Amino acid sequence: MITFKIKEPDKGIEQALCDKIENLAKPKGSLGRLESLALQIGLIQQTLNPVLSHPINVIYAADHGIADEGVSKSPKEVTRQVIYNFLNGGSGVCFLARQHGFEIKIVDGGVDYDFPEIPRLISRKVRKGTRNYLHEAAMTTEEVDLAICYGADIVTDCYNEGCNVISFGEMGIGNTATSSMWMTCLTGIPLERCVGAGSGLDAAGVRHKYEVLKAALDNYSGDGSALDVLRYFGGIEMVMAVGGMLRAAELGMVILVDGFIMTNCVLMASRLYPAMLPYCVFGHCGDESGHKLVLDYLGAEPLLHLGLRLGEGSGSVCAYPIVDSAVRMINEMHTFAQAAVTKYI
């Protein structure tokens, strides 16, 4: 696998940031999460005057072999259908991106379909869907390496276009199943607590999904390392997102984290490179079973609780105005001295 040079943000500037925030014309701590967010972003960017520029939501898309086992209410052809809806501007994340000024990049990493050449669809196909990990490893080591490289390269392109705050989304029928496998293997949380309804399974469907995944876990004979779990139970779009997140942290970008699937990608990325976690801002806690558990495991405090479980980067884009408010607070509020206000507690 390619390597990344990720360093935790230097805390040498932390006291100066705290002093600036505490001297804004307000009672200490009265702007709550906006204050902690401003501190985090100032540390990421190593400045007392952080700036958010050219926000981009990258959507990686691929199919999953495990979907053949009926672990999702939706058939695999929905993956390509939703990609066309992205391209037509009609999906949930599209209206949020328009509302909050995000560019969207859509990446075909492994959809089981031959798209015609479409200018707005970035083709980085590793293979047409993963293998079925009920029976064999989902990906080879070479495919993992390629997916990580492709995911990272897309982020490099975003950075070179002036982006310093990036959101990640995904499309791939079966990817909540894959996320559940990563989650149980990396956290030790029992599989049954990691498995949820995904795109809308009823109780019987969730039970079937659990039984399929339990059988896959029982069949697994790997070494249990993060890289082996990533490979054996991988989803191409999820591996690409891991590569994208690691590159974003390497470049000192603010990483906006979406729902259950992308949170598990952060889990995987942070297991490989723990120093990437301080670059992550968690957008929301959704309704997918297991999402709160993995957020708690990571010690993450999400910004929103709106019951979202769409994916696509919708929750992280929806949370962006709060991040923007934190940056505006530290840059635009007057200090007590500027406002000629007596400092008060």
Side-chain angles (χ1 to χ4, degrees), residues 16-32 34-36 38-39 48-50 325-345:
L17 280 163
C18 289
D19 290 345
K20 182 175 182 181
I21 292 167
E22 289 181 10
N23 279 291
L24 298 175
K26 59 176 179 54
K28 183 178 178 179
S30 61
L31 282 175
L34 297 187
E35 299 188 23
S36 59
L39 174 61
L48 300 181
N49 303 101
S325 292
V327 170
R328 289 177 181 273
M329 177 204 75
I330 197 172
N331 287 323
E332 297 180 17
M333 278 190 73
H334 285 186
T335 64
F336 286 105
Q338 289 171 319
V341 172
T342 301
K343 191 169 184 178
Y344 60 102
I345 302 302

Side-chain angles (χ1 to χ4, degrees), residues 17 58 67 84 95 124 132 204 222 225 231 244 284 296 319:
L17 280 163
V58 178
Y84 279 115
F95 82 79
R124 295 291 186 274
N132 185 343
S225 66
R231 175 190 65 86
H284 75 107
D296 289 346

Side-chain angles (χ1 to χ4, degrees), residues 270-325:
S270 64
R271 188 59 60 88
L272 298 173
Y273 289 85
M276 66 81 62
L277 259 181
Y279 295 88
C280 296
V281 174
F282 293 83
H284 75 107
C285 180
D287 275 358
E288 177 66 17
S289 177
H291 192 193
K292 185 178 186 305
L293 292 176
V294 71
L295 286 168
D296 289 346
Y297 181 87
L298 290 167
E301 186 180 354
L303 296 176
L304 301 173
H305 296 77
L306 298 180
L308 307 176
R309 54 182 180 86
L310 175 63
E312 306 177 359
S314 55
S316 49
V317 175
C318 197
Y320 176 73
I322 299 174
V323 181
D324 185 38
S325 292

